[in-house]
């Protein structure tokens, strides 16, 4: 609280104001109690209940006790509240009735009458009792009587208006009690008076405010009234309420101004529109600026006066409320607002006057705040004050510009006149600040006095502001002030000082991508650099500006011309290059290779066409455009092969470059997107996958250090690469927009060439694109000549002409006329020489370049193919026909000759058989003209057919069946089938049955029969040939046959050469039938049919068909007398479990070796099922004596036993180990039984020697009544 | 009515900025850019408050002599800045708020457009993309009274 320095006037206006209480009656008495009273009154707070629903407040009451005078009482209509006596007290210590009647009563009555005359009802009568006085006087009435009298006389119905204060100056409990009661009463009455009087005042004030639309209403008058209320609240220490009064006044005034602007003018307001003549700023050092207050009272205040006064009051109250930061904030608002209001009211203001006022006011507010806060508080609240600093800086700057203090030459006379006018408007310095060295007034006056002083003050302010902004993190604001400062320096011709601020600001704008500020700041920077003579930087800025679309065409041309002018200057040091980044000059858009796969052979020509998008506004003549190329010898030789060339083709050879993103913000958060690519690495030899993965192509972008200091403008990292490999294009004119530039190069060394840098030179200025990204490469390769021979089809077939493709990759070798391939002939392979054979020559890019007839000369040993002339790195292709002579495949039929191959075949997978072609390899050695070594080429031919044979019997008649199966994919035509006996038997005849019968293949497909004895055999088909064997004498024991059949591809009409037939040789043995076996089942006697479950009789009839033959001569043959017998074992087996054989199922018989010798066997069998059942099998074996050491054969009974056992076990196959174990043990027992015993041997009779005449017959079995029992037992 | 409307990306680069053609465009660019300081300050002060209770409207960022700069920030930290002439006293807080809300809705429409790449500048030359937004901004810049 600012203690007033002024001497206390009788009527008040200071913060020392207290509500007035008058004292009448005994003045000496009052003087004696006054110290205690004034000390005790504010000690305890009292609750103040407020009208209009305002919150109650605890309030400490103080009072200013003055002697009662009639003049103090307000007259009718007096609105003054500060001087209003809120309570009137009458003091008396009268205890004598006489005295009371004589003087006191009269005095009281007079006092009361005065009060009544002024209709004041707030009064109190205090009677002080003094024990000491009582004792002195003898005829004293009891105390009560005086009090009662007074109450009776004056306080009708208001007995509480009279209080007794006992022994006020003593120190007793009674005194204390009395004091407390008195003080409480006093406070209550005071508050009652406040409530009543303030309420009345407020009502009056409101009434006055409601009249504001009436013509005669004056804002100033109302202002004074409401301020009176504010004063009272302030007096009662209710600063909040006081502030509200001023805020209401503020708002009311603002509204009037706004309404005035809207055309609704109030008369009184025109007074505030008088021209501004004084601009001496706010005055905040005094609690109340009486000067301004009086001018308001006199209705002479200008708008600035009113605003200043109002704000100074608000400021004072806010400081009381400990809210200095609100002062700063309100101050800024006020200053902006005043400027606006003056504009709105069209008040005439001399130029610069407002700037002075604002500047002074800003500093005044700042100094006022500094005056009541300590350093730490100020530092932590910069955010609130920095706005004022910034505003002051801004205003000082504009004053400087206005008064010619910024120009190089200093102010002229007009400027000086203006300065004098401005200083005049400031008036004299106020006494409060006269002694302060740094007062705003002195500062302004000094700043305007000279160029140097202005610079000092302006720099001080600017630096302080920048520092403050920076310290609270308002970097952008700091940069913006810095830019102002840079402008100042530029005007002061100090570009070296301006540069750092411009750089800082530009970096900030670039980082956040603000195009317009970038352009503007860069333009300033360019000027600065030009002044500083930073040629490189200036040229770079110029190139950026020349390509900046935010500038006008003229400006762009100007900056472009700056570059061209510099470039055309003769350089003082020749060879000195100015290296600038390319992106602002021109952008690389795309690149196109020809050939499009970017691969050329040594000596080949490669052309690269690039599209450059020139950013310059005018055509630019470029001396040369250079691409630096990095050469590396390719490690992975696979890339250079012809295969690689054909497989790797970029999409039409065009590489697009992403547009430069230099203009786009390079924010820390927006990293470039991941460029992920699949990577597959294949083995060079067989193209199989080695590794696979994902690679990130732009790791270098993502993992780059985020350098805050990396300059965006400096060409620091640019270095010209000098290398031996360079692509060059001279004297190019780059038109604005897209330009196509073509580079041509002849490939020299094999390897990989990577395009690294792109440079364009204009005089001594070089524009460089340091890295061409994405990576662009071309390959140069050299290749050895190669010969490839491969079949046209999947596999070559033997026996028919097959096409083989020859590919000669010339590589670096040039094929001359007369160069030929020398093929050494393989024995069983012919090289056919077609008449019209042509060789085609292709270029490396598979474009056909020529074709020529192929000359082939064949001798016995060598076939010579003369190649057409072909240049290096070409491919010659031609086709030849080769024929593998069929050789009879090795006989496979020896082991199972007579057995029918049918059952074996059935188990095989049909698909599989197709692939099981027999193959033969033929090796050809080729001499190539480019090599002294021979190339050996192996060709594999497959035999298209598979042949099997079978012997078929019908009684004693014999047939040979040959089956030809076509395994290939081709259809063939078969012709002229022959079966020839190669043995020496003469009486054997082979009668073909093929011509008449229709042939049925395995898949039951009909094979057509052609009249010319030709038959088609389609792919995967089989064809059967049958011959009957006929003989007149004794048949030979074995038969050697050769089957041959002519074949040709079915599709081809005519073949140039006759083909060799396909042959198949085989042998048949023991084919003559010796025994006929006949089985018959008859129902039990008396029954018509066999029944399930009932025994039937089986009769087996074994008949010898021939006399003794060569084949019978073996161990089983016994000769006794004239009879020759052999031992046979028969066995009845029913594998399909249709029959149960009862009793012995097998037996050994002695068979006479004579024609028509018959053996008959009877057996009992029981059918297990009903229906037509096939007969059980009857097998015949040769029974050989035991002396031969065949261990595998079995005793008949044990065979059966084992068989049945295995059948039993077969029924309940379980996977558990116990059953397996038990089975294993049984077997082991069996085998141990047979071991060691000398057993006779059984030998199966060859199938051709036994003919079963009853095979295929069936017997009808009808079900019995109780068949279900049996079914259960079987299943 | 506003004299300048700007949409600023999370990374503080302008997505859209437009000012009344009669005035110096550059001045508003500088002004809006500088106002980001206060936006950042207000956002970081707000960071402590609960996210869902957060007020998107930032209020008056700072007044200058001639203009008032208001701010608004979306949940995705896209900032809207509006510059209003100081002399235009008819515009109260509520009007500013509703203008921002309208701006936000229009911006959301742009974002919902499948042809719009978030982070790209909003350009009115793409029909049905920036055009609607542009028209809405134009309507905000036309003097209402």
């Amino acid at each position: 609280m600012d203690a007033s320095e002024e001497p206390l006037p009788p009527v008040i206006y200071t913060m020392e104001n207290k509500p007035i209480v008058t004292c009448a009656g005994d003045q000496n008495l009052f003087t004696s109690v006054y110290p205690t009273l004034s000390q005790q009154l504010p000690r305890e707070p009292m609750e103040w209940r407020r009208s209009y629903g305002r919150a109650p407040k605890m309030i400490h009451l103080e009072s200013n006790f003055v002697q009662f005078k009639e003049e103090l009482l307000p007259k009718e209509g007096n609105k003054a509240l500060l001087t209003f006596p809120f309570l009137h007290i009458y003091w008396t210590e009268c205890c004598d009735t006489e005295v009371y009647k004589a003087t006191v009563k009269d005095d009281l009555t007079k006092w009361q009458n005065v009060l009544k005359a002024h209709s004041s009802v707030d009064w109190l009568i205090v009677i002080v009792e003094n024990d000491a006085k009582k004792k002195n006087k003898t005829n004293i009435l009891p105390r009560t009587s005086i009090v009662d009298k007074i109450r009776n006389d004056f306080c009708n119905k208001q007995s509480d208006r009279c209080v007794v204060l006992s022994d006020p100056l003593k120190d007793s409990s009674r005194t204390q009690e009395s004091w407390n009661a008195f003080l409480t009463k006093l406070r209550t009455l005071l508050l009652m008076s406040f409530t009543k009087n303030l309420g009345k005042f407020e009502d009056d004030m409101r009434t006055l405010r409601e009249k504001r639309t009436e013509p005669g209403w004056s804002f100033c008058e109302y202002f004074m009234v409401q301020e009176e209320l504010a004063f009272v609240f302030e007096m009662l220490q209710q600063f909040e309420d006081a502030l509200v009064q001023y805020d209401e006044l503020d708002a009311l005034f603002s509204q009037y101004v706004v309404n005035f602007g809207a055309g609704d003018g109030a008369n009184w307001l025109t007074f505030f529109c008088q021209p501004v003549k004084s601009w001496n700023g706010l005055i905040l050092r005094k609690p109340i600026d009486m000067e301004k207050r009086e001018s308001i009272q006199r209705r002479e205040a200008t708008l600035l006066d009113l605003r200043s006064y109002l704000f100074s009051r608000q400021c004072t109250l806010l400081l009381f409320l400990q809210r200095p930061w609100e002062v700063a904030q309100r101050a800024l608002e006020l200053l902006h607002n005043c400027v606006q209001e003056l504009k709105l009211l069209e008040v005439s203001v001399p130029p610069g006057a407002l700037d002075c006022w604002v500047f002074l006011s800003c500093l005044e507010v700042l100094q006022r705040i500094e005056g009541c806060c300590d350093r730490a508080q100020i530092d932590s609240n910069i955010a609130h004050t920095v706005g004022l600093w910034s505003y002051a800086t801004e205003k000082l700057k504009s004053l400087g510009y206005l008064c010619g203090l910024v120009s190089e030459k200093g102010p002229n006379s007009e400027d000086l006149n203006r300065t004098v006018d401005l200083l005049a408007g400031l008036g004299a310095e106020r006494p409060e600040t006269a002694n302060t060295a740094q007062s705003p007034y002195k500062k302004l006056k000094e700043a305007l006095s000279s160029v140097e002083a202005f610079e000092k003050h302006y720099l001080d302010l600017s630096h302080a502001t920048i520092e403050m902004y920076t310290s609270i993190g308002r970097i952008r604001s700091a940069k913006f002030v810095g830019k102002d400062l840079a402008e100042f320096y530029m005007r002061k011709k100090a570009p070296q000082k301006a540069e750092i601020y411009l750089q800082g600001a530009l970096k900030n704008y670039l980082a956040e991508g603000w195009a317009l500020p970038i352009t503007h700041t860069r333009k300033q920077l360019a000027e600065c650099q030009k002044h500083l003579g930073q040629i490189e930087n200036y040229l770079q800025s110029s190139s950026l500006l020349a390509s900046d679309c935010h500038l006008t065409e003229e400006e762009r041309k100007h900056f472009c011309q700056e570059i061209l002018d510099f470039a055309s200057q003769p350089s003082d040091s020749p060879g000195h290059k100015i290296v600038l980044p390319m992106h602002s000059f021109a952008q690389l858009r795309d690149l196109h290779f020809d050939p499009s796969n970017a691969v050329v052979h040594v000596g080949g020509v490669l052309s690269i066409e690039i599209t450059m998008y020139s950013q310059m506004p005018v055509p630019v003549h470029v001396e040369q455009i250079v691409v630096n190329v990095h050469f590396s010898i390719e490690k992975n030789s696979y890339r250079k092969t012809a295969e690689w060339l054909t497989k790797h083709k970029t999409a039409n050879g065009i590489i697009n470059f992403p547009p430069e993103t230099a203009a786009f913000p390079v924010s820390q958060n927006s990293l470039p997107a991941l460029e992920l690519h699949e990577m597959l690495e294949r083995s060079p030899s067989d193209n199989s996958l080695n590794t696979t993965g994902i690679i990130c192509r732009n790791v270098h972008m993502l993992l780059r250090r985020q350098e805050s200091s990396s300059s965006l403008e400096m060409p620091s990292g640019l270095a010209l690469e000098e290398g031996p490999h360079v692509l060059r294009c001279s004297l190019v004119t780059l038109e604005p927009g897209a330009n196509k530039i073509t580079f041509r190069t002849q490939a020299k060394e094999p390897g990989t060439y990577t395009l690294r840098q792109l440079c364009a030179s204009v005089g001594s200025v070089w524009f460089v694109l340091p890295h061409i990204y994405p990576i662009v490469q071309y390959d140069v390769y050299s290749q050895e000549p190669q010969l490839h021979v491969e079949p046209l089809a999947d596999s070559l077939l033997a026996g028919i002409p097959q096409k083989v493709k020859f590919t000669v990759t010339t590589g670096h070798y040039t094929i001359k006329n007369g160069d030929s391939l020398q093929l050494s002939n393989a024995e069983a392979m012919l090289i056919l020489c077609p008449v019209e054979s042509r060789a085609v020559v292709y270029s490396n890019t598979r474009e056909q370049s020529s074709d020529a007839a192929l000359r082939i000369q064949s001798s016995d040993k060598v076939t010579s193919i003369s190649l057409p002339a072909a240049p290096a790195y070409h491919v010659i292709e031609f086709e030849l026909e080769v024929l593998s002579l069929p050789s009879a495949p090795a006989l496979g039929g020896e082991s199972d000759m007579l057995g029918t191959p049918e059952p074996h075949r059935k188990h095989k997978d049909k698909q599989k058989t197709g692939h099981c072609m027999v193959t033969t390899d033929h090796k050809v050695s080729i001499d190539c003209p480019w090599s002294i070594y021979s190339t050996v080429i192996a060709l594999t031919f497959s035999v298209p057919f598979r042949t099997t044979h079978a012997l078929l019997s019908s009684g004693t008649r014999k047939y040979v069946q040959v089956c030809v199966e076509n395994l290939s994919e081709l259809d063939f035509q078969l012709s002229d089938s022959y079966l020839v006996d190669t043995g020496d038997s003469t009486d054997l005849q082979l009668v073909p049955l093929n011509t008449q019968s229709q042939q049925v293949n395995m898949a039951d497909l009909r094979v057509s029969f052609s009249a010319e004895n030709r038959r088609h055999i389609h792919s995967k088909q089989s064809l059967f040939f049958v011959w009957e064997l006929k003989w007149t004498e004794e048949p030979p024991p074995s038969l050697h046959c050769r089957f041959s059949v002519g074949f040709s591809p079915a599709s081809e009409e005519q073949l140039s050469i006759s083909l060799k037939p396909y042959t198949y040789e085989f042998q048949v043995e023991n084919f003559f039938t010796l025994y006929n076996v006949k089985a018959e089942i008859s129902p039990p006697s008396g029954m018509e049919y066999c029944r399930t479950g009932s025994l039937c009789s089986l009769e087996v009839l074994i008949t010898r068909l021939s006399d003794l033959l060569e084949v019978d001569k073996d161990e089983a043959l016994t000769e006794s007398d004239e009879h020759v017998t052999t031992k046979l074992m028969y066995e009845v087996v029913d594998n399909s479990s249709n029959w149960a054989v009862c009793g012995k199922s097998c037996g050994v018989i002695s068979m006479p070796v004579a024609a028509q010798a018959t053996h008959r066997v009877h057996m009992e069998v029981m059918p297990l099922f009903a229906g037509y059942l096939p007969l059980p099998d009857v097998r015949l074996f040769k029974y050989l004596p035991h002396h031969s050491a065949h261990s595998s054969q079995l005793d008949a009974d044990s065979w059966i036993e084992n068989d049945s056992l295995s059948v039993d076990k077969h029924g309940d196959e379980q996977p558990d180990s116990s059953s397996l174990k038990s089975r294993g043990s049984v077997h082991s027992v069996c085998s141990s039984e047979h071991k060691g015993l000398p057993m006779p041997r059984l030998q199966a009779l060859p199938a051709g020697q036994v003919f079963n005449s009853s095979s295929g017959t069936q017997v009808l079995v009808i079900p019995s009544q109780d068949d279900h029992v049996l079914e259960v037992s079987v299943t | 009515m506003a004299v300048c409307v700007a949409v600023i990306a999370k990374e503080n680069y302008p997505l859209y900025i437009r000012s009344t053609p009669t005035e110096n465009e550059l001045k508003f660019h500088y002004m809006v850019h500088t106002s980001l300081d206060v936006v950042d300050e207000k956002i970081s002060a707000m960071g402590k408050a609960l996210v869902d209770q957060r007020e998107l409207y930032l209020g008056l960022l700072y007044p200058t002599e001639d203009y008032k700069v208001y701010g608004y920030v979306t949940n995705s930290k896209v900032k809207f800045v509006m510059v209003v002439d100081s002399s235009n006293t008819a515009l109260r807080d509520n009007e500013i708020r509703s203008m921002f809300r309208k701006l936000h809705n229009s911006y959301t429409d742009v974002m919902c457009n499948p042809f719009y790449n978030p982070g790209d500048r909003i350009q009115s030359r793409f029909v049905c993309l920036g055009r609607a937004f542009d028209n809405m901004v134009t309507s905000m810049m036309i003097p209402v009274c």
Side-chain angles (χ1 to χ4, degrees), chain A residues 340 391 395 477 514 520, chain B residues 12-13 30 37 41 65-66:
Chain A
Q340 282 302 317
Y391 200 22
K395 287 299 162 193
S477 310
W514 286 72
H520 179 240
Chain B
N12 285 338
Y13 62 88
Y30 277 125
D37 273 339
E41 225 165 70
E65 219 170 81
D66 306 310

Side-chain angles (χ1 to χ4, degrees), chain A residues 631-885:
Chain A
F631 167 69
S632 68
I633 293 164
E634 184 59 63
K635 300 280 192 301
N636 184 6
S637 57
Y638 171 64
R639 273 195 74 178
K640 289 183 274 178
T641 61
E643 289 153 74
W644 191 86
L645 299 185
T646 48
K647 275 173 194 161
H648 286 75
K649 280 189 178 175
T650 47
N652 57 42
I654 295 178
I655 296 150
N656 286 305
F657 296 93
E660 282 281 343
T661 52
F664 219 66
V666 271
S667 171
Q668 286 86 344
N669 303 332
S670 64
L671 284 171
L674 286 176
E675 276 183 43
L676 292 180
H677 287 265
E678 193 181 19
M679 185 197 66
L680 302 170
E681 193 179 295
R682 290 178 185 279
S683 154
S685 52
D686 55 351
N687 207 27
S688 65
L689 194 64
N690 269 358
T691 54
T692 181
I694 290 175
I695 53 164
C696 177
R697 288 249 173 108
N698 55 350
V699 179
H700 62 289
M701 308 275 283
L702 293 162
L703 298 184
R704 194 166 47 182
R705 245 181 78 215
Q706 296 288 341
E707 265 186 283
S708 52
S709 60
S710 70
S711 65
L712 293 149
E713 292 283 293
M714 291 289 108
S716 52
L718 282 183
L720 269 177
E721 268 182 31
E722 299 285 357
H725 300 277
V726 151
L727 301 175
R728 201 179 296 271
C729 205
S730 295
L731 293 172
V732 182
T733 301
L734 289 180
E735 298 288 337
N739 295 271
K740 283 198 188 295
I741 298 142
T742 308
F743 299 92
R744 274 178 202 287
T745 183
Q746 185 159 32
K748 288 185 190 103
E749 266 181 273
T752 300
Y753 293 80
T754 310
L755 274 56
R756 293 279 276 266
Q757 276 196 342
L758 181 67
C759 313
S761 71
V762 182
S764 55
V765 178
W766 285 70
F767 293 99
V768 179
L769 180 67
H771 303 289
I772 296 176
Y773 183 84
I775 290 167
V776 180
Q777 292 180 325
Y778 67 89
D779 291 283
V780 175
Y781 68 95
S782 113
Q783 196 185 18
E784 293 299 316
Q786 278 180 324
L787 170 69
H788 280 273
V789 179
E790 52 192 9
L792 271 183
D794 285 346
S795 64
L796 295 167
L797 292 176
I800 54 167
Q802 293 285 284
K803 283 198 170 158
V804 173
K805 189 166 114 183
F806 282 68
T807 310
V808 176
T809 312
T810 60
H812 57 71
Y813 182 82
T814 308
I815 306 237
K816 300 172 284 293
N817 266 324
D819 278 344
S820 64
L821 296 176
Q822 307 285 338
L823 278 69
S824 62
N825 294 351
E827 275 171 38
M829 195 184 82
L830 293 179
I831 293 167
L832 307 177
C833 309
V835 198
E836 277 290 299
S837 176
R838 300 194 74 82
V840 184
V841 182
Y842 295 99
S843 73
N844 246 344
T845 48
R846 300 300 299 176
E847 286 160 36
Q848 186 171 338
S849 61
S850 68
D851 75 345
L854 204 62
R855 280 182 295 118
I856 300 168
Q857 288 168 328
S858 283
S859 68
D860 300 354
K861 294 277 178 194
V862 174
T863 304
S864 166
I865 305 163
S866 35
L867 296 169
Y873 298 104
H874 275 63
V875 177
I876 304 170
E877 278 184 4
F878 57 89
E879 286 170 12
L880 285 184
E881 283 197 327
V882 293
L883 175 67
S884 168
L885 298 177

Side-chain angles (χ1 to χ4, degrees), chain A residues 1151-1207:
Chain A
M1151 194 73 193
V1153 182
Q1156 301 307 316
T1158 306
H1159 203 96
R1160 212 178 276 271
V1161 182
H1162 282 280
M1163 252 177 276
E1164 301 272 83
V1165 292
M1166 188 167 68
L1168 299 174
F1169 293 101
Y1172 285 100
L1173 299 183
L1175 295 183
D1177 285 348
V1178 178
R1179 295 177 192 169
L1180 273 189
F1181 299 93
K1182 261 185 190 169
Y1183 196 77
L1184 300 176
H1186 63 79
H1187 58 260
S1188 104
H1190 281 256
S1191 58
S1192 62
Q1193 57 97 323
L1194 296 167
D1195 177 44
D1197 287 322
S1198 71
W1199 173 299
I1200 305 296
E1201 200 182 20
N1202 257 359
D1203 196 40
S1204 67
L1205 217 162
S1206 72
V1207 166

Side-chain angles (χ1 to χ4, degrees), chain A residues 814-1039:
Chain A
T814 308
I815 306 237
K816 300 172 284 293
N817 266 324
D819 278 344
S820 64
L821 296 176
Q822 307 285 338
L823 278 69
S824 62
N825 294 351
E827 275 171 38
M829 195 184 82
L830 293 179
I831 293 167
L832 307 177
C833 309
V835 198
E836 277 290 299
S837 176
R838 300 194 74 82
V840 184
V841 182
Y842 295 99
S843 73
N844 246 344
T845 48
R846 300 300 299 176
E847 286 160 36
Q848 186 171 338
S849 61
S850 68
D851 75 345
L854 204 62
R855 280 182 295 118
I856 300 168
Q857 288 168 328
S858 283
S859 68
D860 300 354
K861 294 277 178 194
V862 174
T863 304
S864 166
I865 305 163
S866 35
L867 296 169
Y873 298 104
H874 275 63
V875 177
I876 304 170
E877 278 184 4
F878 57 89
E879 286 170 12
L880 285 184
E881 283 197 327
V882 293
L883 175 67
S884 168
L885 298 177
S887 59
L891 278 184
E894 220 107 31
S895 53
D896 61 333
M897 248 176 313
L898 293 176
T900 48
E902 214 92 345
H904 298 284
R905 185 72 66 79
K906 259 178 190 164
H907 294 295
K908 278 187 189 168
D909 192 356
K910 279 252 172 85
Q911 295 286 73
K912 242 182 187 169
T913 58
H915 295 290
C916 296
M917 284 195 271
V918 180
T919 60
T920 40
D921 283 355
H922 295 290
K923 287 205 167 95
V924 185
S925 128
I926 305 172
D927 288 329
C928 305
W930 54 79
S931 171
I932 54 165
Y933 300 105
S934 300
T935 312
V936 177
I937 281 159
L939 292 172
T940 303
F941 291 88
S942 305
V943 181
F945 301 114
R946 181 166 60 193
T947 318
T948 51
H949 68 275
L951 181 73
L952 307 172
S953 312
S954 173
T956 53
R957 296 173 76 172
K958 294 289 163 179
Y959 306 90
V960 171
Q961 186 201 48
V962 176
C963 169
V964 177
E965 189 186 356
N966 180 6
L967 299 172
S968 73
E969 302 291 329
L970 273 177
D971 295 344
F972 285 100
Q973 201 167 47
L974 300 185
S975 60
D976 306 325
S977 57
Y978 295 103
L979 188 65
V980 185
D981 178 21
T982 54
D984 43 5
S985 47
T986 47
D987 62 335
L988 200 68
Q989 220 186 326
L990 289 163
V991 182
L993 304 175
N994 305 321
T995 43
Q996 278 83 35
S997 65
Q998 282 181 323
Q999 298 292 317
V1000 177
N1001 78 338
M1002 269 180 57
D1004 217 350
L1005 284 168
R1006 304 250 164 209
V1007 173
S1008 67
F1009 171 74
S1010 73
E1012 307 99 315
N1013 205 9
R1014 284 169 183 272
R1015 284 173 197 133
H1016 278 286
I1017 177 163
H1018 292 284
S1019 172
K1020 309 296 176 199
Q1021 271 187 338
S1022 296
L1023 202 56
F1024 292 86
F1025 299 91
V1026 180
W1027 282 267
E1028 184 174 4
L1029 289 179
K1030 283 194 176 164
W1031 60 89
T1032 47
E1033 294 165 23
E1034 186 182 318
S1038 70
L1039 180 62

